[in-house]
Amino acid sequence: MLVEPPPLSRRRLLGGLLALAAGSALPPLIARGESGEIREVPATGESLPLVGLGSWITFNVGDDPALLEACTAVMAAFFAEGGRMIDSSPMYGSSQATIGHALAELDATDRVYAADKIWTSSPSEGPSQLEASRRDWGVPRFDLLQVHNLLAWERNLATLQAMKAEGDVRHIGITTSHGRRHDAIERILREADIDFVQLTYNIVDREAEDRLLPLARERGIGVIANRPFQQKRLIRRLEGEPLPDWASEINARTWAQFILKFIISHPAVSCTIPATTQVEHVRENLAAARGPLPDAELRRRMASYVQSL
Amino acid sequence: MPMSEWWSYHPADFLMFSLHVYERLFVLHNQALWPAQLLALTLGVGLLLALWQPRAGPLRLVVPLLATGWLFVAWAFLWQRYVPINWGIRYVVPLFVLQALLLLVLSQWRGGLVLSPQRLTPRTFGLGLVAYAVFLHPLTALLNDHGLASAEVVGLTPDPLAIATLGLAALARSARRGWALLIIPLLWCLISAATLQLLEAPGAWVPLLAAAIAVVARLMPHG
């Protein structure tokens, strides 16, 4: 029932190939890094830790010195635990500047996998917006730029594709959330040349399992799962309920880890991006990527259990 | 975005910041302005006295001071502090400037602003709103974790300023001038109440109640 991810070795590689050949739902191309699980994104060859860091709400703290310091502590813990991908957007208020502040304080611009978005209904403003975002982050270039929530996606994606061709960004993608516009996302996955898709996927929002996740996997496109905790609502709903005894089989000690392990054990998911303001939570989240992950049968059991509560 | 998609959003999905961050805005604002709060409270008492026994001279003085409050809050609070965490507020800033202009023009133009002291109910509601804004609203900070350090003082922060202006608008004898002065503070109170409700802040109903009282008072005959 359990999948104990093996160390990176010939045996692991052969095992992965066998699993793929058998059509298994085992996570492919998983390797254990020094500080947690990483998974390769086929379209890019990039290996990323399975748990990243979101910045919606949590990092929007303006120029409050005390809160900037708290966010810096969160990012310090994130990097110390082996985290790499941090995701933001110009829509998120001062979050980009907060990330930039912390990166400068921690001298960590070379450790971060910088993921941001283009968010404008006037695509001609896209390049200047992206340059402003880059200055806020203080990075030489972004690792990943995504079209935010499909906003003017055709022209904005063309901007990103041109930037990628010029070497101004390494990877590009597109985002949606809350299960919206999956038909359009499916069309883009089939037709467009992108490296990542970001969408909402968690133990109760599972619509993406039907078409998008298999399609992304088939096309070698990385998947970033947003809203893992439904913006705390899912955690609040579950926190009064007991974890099942069998959660210990996958080393899930908290509901957050239970939920995260469900998400990152899907073979198509490259990483998930929980946001937090608490150092202990970022450690708890990153720890979810270590140890065994559930297999397909246990994933079904996990989903049924949560549904029954 | 297709119209049908709007219905799939939860109101909380539009929230960009936490209650803690919002309350900290007032803490930092107060720290930066201290001891201007004392001056603002003194001017607030002056406004209340001027409205209590309305005469043309004092009114011509205090209403422009209220207008100055709208300009100050637009710049020092909304633009400097609130817009960085809530980009939507940048579209509200011009409304605050417009409200300041309305106060200036209507308090000086064609005989200035005339209040209606004869009718007891609108007078009670109007003065009650101003008194609440000056004396009681700052105390709502005692309901949060930061205490009076995050007090919202009239003339320096938007909610008590809007509520005090609603009181003035409720007192105006001319219905046309009263409604003209009421619209923007009313709109702000609705925005503030919605924000506080989404943040699950204590006292989220206060701006809503103030707006309702002002509208009721405005609808009453002013003689």
Short mmCIF file of all heavy atoms in Angstrom, two decimals, chain B residues 133-165:
data_model
loop_
_atom_site.label_atom_id
_atom_site.label_comp_id
_atom_site.label_asym_id
_atom_site.label_seq_id
_atom_site.Cartn_x
_atom_site.Cartn_y
_atom_site.Cartn_z
N ALA B 133 -18.11 58.89 16.20
CA ALA B 133 -16.86 58.89 15.43
C ALA B 133 -15.71 59.48 16.24
O ALA B 133 -14.58 58.98 16.19
CB ALA B 133 -17.06 59.67 14.13
N VAL B 134 -16.00 60.53 17.00
CA VAL B 134 -14.94 61.21 17.73
C VAL B 134 -14.55 60.44 19.00
O VAL B 134 -13.36 60.21 19.25
CB VAL B 134 -15.38 62.65 18.10
CG1 VAL B 134 -14.33 63.33 18.99
CG2 VAL B 134 -15.63 63.47 16.84
N PHE B 135 -15.54 60.02 19.77
CA PHE B 135 -15.24 59.50 21.11
C PHE B 135 -15.21 57.97 21.19
O PHE B 135 -14.39 57.41 21.91
CB PHE B 135 -16.29 60.01 22.12
CG PHE B 135 -16.27 61.50 22.28
CD1 PHE B 135 -17.38 62.25 21.92
CD2 PHE B 135 -15.15 62.16 22.75
CE1 PHE B 135 -17.38 63.63 22.06
CE2 PHE B 135 -15.13 63.53 22.89
CZ PHE B 135 -16.25 64.28 22.54
N LEU B 136 -16.12 57.30 20.52
CA LEU B 136 -16.26 55.86 20.73
C LEU B 136 -15.51 55.01 19.70
O LEU B 136 -14.97 53.96 20.05
CB LEU B 136 -17.75 55.46 20.72
CG LEU B 136 -18.58 56.04 21.87
CD1 LEU B 136 -20.02 55.55 21.79
CD2 LEU B 136 -17.97 55.65 23.21
N HIS B 137 -15.50 55.48 18.45
CA HIS B 137 -14.88 54.61 17.44
C HIS B 137 -13.43 54.26 17.75
O HIS B 137 -13.02 53.10 17.54
CB HIS B 137 -14.99 55.22 16.04
CG HIS B 137 -14.71 54.22 14.96
ND1 HIS B 137 -15.62 53.27 14.56
CD2 HIS B 137 -13.58 53.97 14.25
CE1 HIS B 137 -15.08 52.50 13.63
NE2 HIS B 137 -13.83 52.90 13.43
N PRO B 138 -12.63 55.20 18.26
CA PRO B 138 -11.24 54.80 18.60
C PRO B 138 -11.19 53.65 19.60
O PRO B 138 -10.25 52.85 19.58
CB PRO B 138 -10.65 56.08 19.20
CG PRO B 138 -11.47 57.19 18.63
CD PRO B 138 -12.85 56.64 18.49
N LEU B 139 -12.21 53.55 20.44
CA LEU B 139 -12.20 52.52 21.48
C LEU B 139 -12.48 51.12 20.92
O LEU B 139 -12.24 50.12 21.60
CB LEU B 139 -13.22 52.85 22.57
CG LEU B 139 -13.00 54.20 23.27
CD1 LEU B 139 -14.09 54.44 24.31
CD2 LEU B 139 -11.62 54.25 23.92
N THR B 140 -12.99 51.04 19.68
CA THR B 140 -13.21 49.70 19.10
C THR B 140 -11.89 48.96 18.95
O THR B 140 -11.88 47.73 18.83
CB THR B 140 -13.91 49.78 17.72
OG1 THR B 140 -13.10 50.56 16.84
CG2 THR B 140 -15.28 50.40 17.83
N ALA B 141 -10.78 49.70 18.98
CA ALA B 141 -9.47 49.05 18.90
C ALA B 141 -9.22 48.14 20.10
O ALA B 141 -8.39 47.23 20.04
CB ALA B 141 -8.36 50.10 18.82
N LEU B 142 -9.95 48.38 21.19
CA LEU B 142 -9.78 47.53 22.38
C LEU B 142 -10.26 46.11 22.11
O LEU B 142 -9.94 45.19 22.86
CB LEU B 142 -10.55 48.13 23.57
CG LEU B 142 -10.01 49.48 24.06
CD1 LEU B 142 -10.96 50.08 25.09
CD2 LEU B 142 -8.61 49.32 24.64
N LEU B 143 -11.03 45.92 21.02
CA LEU B 143 -11.52 44.59 20.68
C LEU B 143 -10.47 43.75 19.97
O LEU B 143 -10.65 42.54 19.79
CB LEU B 143 -12.77 44.69 19.79
CG LEU B 143 -13.98 45.41 20.40
CD1 LEU B 143 -15.07 45.58 19.35
CD2 LEU B 143 -14.51 44.61 21.58
N ASN B 144 -9.39 44.37 19.50
CA ASN B 144 -8.37 43.58 18.80
C ASN B 144 -7.11 43.41 19.63
O ASN B 144 -7.01 43.95 20.74
CB ASN B 144 -8.09 44.15 17.40
CG ASN B 144 -7.32 45.47 17.45
OD1 ASN B 144 -6.36 45.61 18.21
ND2 ASN B 144 -7.77 46.43 16.66
N ASP B 145 -6.15 42.69 19.07
CA ASP B 145 -4.96 42.31 19.84
C ASP B 145 -4.02 43.49 20.12
O ASP B 145 -3.15 43.40 20.99
CB ASP B 145 -4.17 41.23 19.09
CG ASP B 145 -4.96 39.94 19.00
OD1 ASP B 145 -5.87 39.76 19.83
OD2 ASP B 145 -4.68 39.14 18.09
N HIS B 146 -4.17 44.56 19.36
CA HIS B 146 -3.20 45.65 19.48
C HIS B 146 -3.65 46.75 20.43
O HIS B 146 -2.87 47.66 20.73
CB HIS B 146 -2.93 46.25 18.09
CG HIS B 146 -2.53 45.23 17.08
ND1 HIS B 146 -1.25 44.71 17.01
CD2 HIS B 146 -3.23 44.59 16.12
CE1 HIS B 146 -1.19 43.82 16.03
NE2 HIS B 146 -2.38 43.72 15.48
N GLY B 147 -4.91 46.72 20.86
CA GLY B 147 -5.40 47.73 21.78
C GLY B 147 -5.40 49.12 21.16
O GLY B 147 -5.48 49.28 19.93
N LEU B 148 -5.28 50.12 22.02
CA LEU B 148 -5.40 51.51 21.55
C LEU B 148 -4.27 51.92 20.62
O LEU B 148 -4.37 52.95 19.94
CB LEU B 148 -5.46 52.46 22.75
CG LEU B 148 -6.78 52.44 23.52
CD1 LEU B 148 -6.71 53.38 24.72
CD2 LEU B 148 -7.95 52.82 22.62
N ALA B 149 -3.21 51.14 20.56
CA ALA B 149 -2.13 51.44 19.61
C ALA B 149 -2.67 51.42 18.18
O ALA B 149 -2.10 52.07 17.29
CB ALA B 149 -1.00 50.44 19.75
N SER B 150 -3.76 50.68 17.96
CA SER B 150 -4.35 50.63 16.61
C SER B 150 -5.64 51.44 16.52
O SER B 150 -6.46 51.21 15.62
CB SER B 150 -4.61 49.18 16.20
OG SER B 150 -5.55 48.59 17.08
N ALA B 151 -5.82 52.38 17.45
CA ALA B 151 -7.06 53.18 17.48
C ALA B 151 -7.24 53.95 16.17
O ALA B 151 -6.30 54.52 15.63
CB ALA B 151 -7.02 54.14 18.65
N GLU B 152 -8.48 53.96 15.70
CA GLU B 152 -8.81 54.71 14.48
C GLU B 152 -9.40 56.05 14.91
O GLU B 152 -10.50 56.12 15.44
CB GLU B 152 -9.79 53.91 13.63
CG GLU B 152 -9.21 52.58 13.15
CD GLU B 152 -10.24 51.74 12.40
OE1 GLU B 152 -11.02 52.31 11.61
OE2 GLU B 152 -10.25 50.53 12.62
N VAL B 153 -8.62 57.10 14.68
CA VAL B 153 -8.97 58.43 15.16
C VAL B 153 -9.55 59.26 14.02
O VAL B 153 -9.06 59.21 12.89
CB VAL B 153 -7.71 59.12 15.74
CG1 VAL B 153 -8.02 60.55 16.18
CG2 VAL B 153 -7.16 58.30 16.91
N VAL B 154 -10.59 60.02 14.36
CA VAL B 154 -11.25 60.84 13.34
C VAL B 154 -10.26 61.84 12.74
O VAL B 154 -9.39 62.37 13.43
CB VAL B 154 -12.47 61.57 13.97
CG1 VAL B 154 -12.02 62.70 14.90
CG2 VAL B 154 -13.40 62.11 12.90
N GLY B 155 -10.36 62.01 11.43
CA GLY B 155 -9.47 62.94 10.75
C GLY B 155 -8.16 62.34 10.31
O GLY B 155 -7.47 62.89 9.46
N LEU B 156 -7.83 61.18 10.89
CA LEU B 156 -6.56 60.53 10.54
C LEU B 156 -6.77 59.18 9.85
O LEU B 156 -5.85 58.68 9.20
CB LEU B 156 -5.71 60.31 11.80
CG LEU B 156 -5.40 61.55 12.65
CD1 LEU B 156 -4.52 61.16 13.83
CD2 LEU B 156 -4.74 62.63 11.82
N THR B 157 -7.94 58.60 10.03
CA THR B 157 -8.23 57.29 9.44
C THR B 157 -9.63 57.32 8.80
O THR B 157 -10.48 58.13 9.19
CB THR B 157 -8.17 56.17 10.51
OG1 THR B 157 -9.08 56.50 11.56
CG2 THR B 157 -6.77 56.03 11.07
N PRO B 158 -9.88 56.46 7.84
CA PRO B 158 -11.07 56.62 7.01
C PRO B 158 -12.42 56.34 7.68
O PRO B 158 -13.39 57.07 7.45
CB PRO B 158 -10.84 55.67 5.85
CG PRO B 158 -9.78 54.74 6.28
CD PRO B 158 -8.96 55.43 7.30
N ASP B 159 -12.50 55.31 8.51
CA ASP B 159 -13.83 54.94 9.04
C ASP B 159 -14.46 56.03 9.90
O ASP B 159 -15.60 56.45 9.64
CB ASP B 159 -13.75 53.62 9.81
CG ASP B 159 -13.71 52.41 8.90
OD1 ASP B 159 -13.43 52.61 7.69
OD2 ASP B 159 -13.93 51.28 9.36
N PRO B 160 -13.76 56.52 10.95
CA PRO B 160 -14.40 57.56 11.76
C PRO B 160 -14.61 58.85 10.97
O PRO B 160 -15.59 59.58 11.22
CB PRO B 160 -13.42 57.77 12.92
CG PRO B 160 -12.13 57.21 12.46
CD PRO B 160 -12.46 56.13 11.50
N LEU B 161 -13.74 59.12 10.01
CA LEU B 161 -13.91 60.31 9.18
C LEU B 161 -15.20 60.20 8.36
O LEU B 161 -16.00 61.15 8.28
CB LEU B 161 -12.71 60.45 8.24
CG LEU B 161 -12.73 61.64 7.29
CD1 LEU B 161 -12.62 62.95 8.07
CD2 LEU B 161 -11.58 61.54 6.28
N ALA B 162 -15.41 59.03 7.77
CA ALA B 162 -16.62 58.82 6.97
C ALA B 162 -17.87 58.88 7.85
O ALA B 162 -18.89 59.47 7.46
CB ALA B 162 -16.53 57.47 6.25
N ILE B 163 -17.79 58.30 9.05
CA ILE B 163 -18.96 58.29 9.93
C ILE B 163 -19.29 59.71 10.41
O ILE B 163 -20.46 60.12 10.44
CB ILE B 163 -18.71 57.33 11.13
CG1 ILE B 163 -18.64 55.89 10.63
CG2 ILE B 163 -19.81 57.48 12.17
CD1 ILE B 163 -18.17 54.88 11.67
N ALA B 164 -18.26 60.49 10.75
CA ALA B 164 -18.50 61.88 11.15
C ALA B 164 -19.12 62.68 10.01
O ALA B 164 -20.04 63.49 10.22
CB ALA B 164 -17.20 62.52 11.60
N THR B 165 -18.66 62.41 8.79
CA THR B 165 -19.20 63.13 7.64
C THR B 165 -20.64 62.70 7.35
O THR B 165 -21.46 63.52 6.92
CB THR B 165 -18.30 62.91 6.40
OG1 THR B 165 -16.95 63.20 6.77
CG2 THR B 165 -18.71 63.80 5.25
#
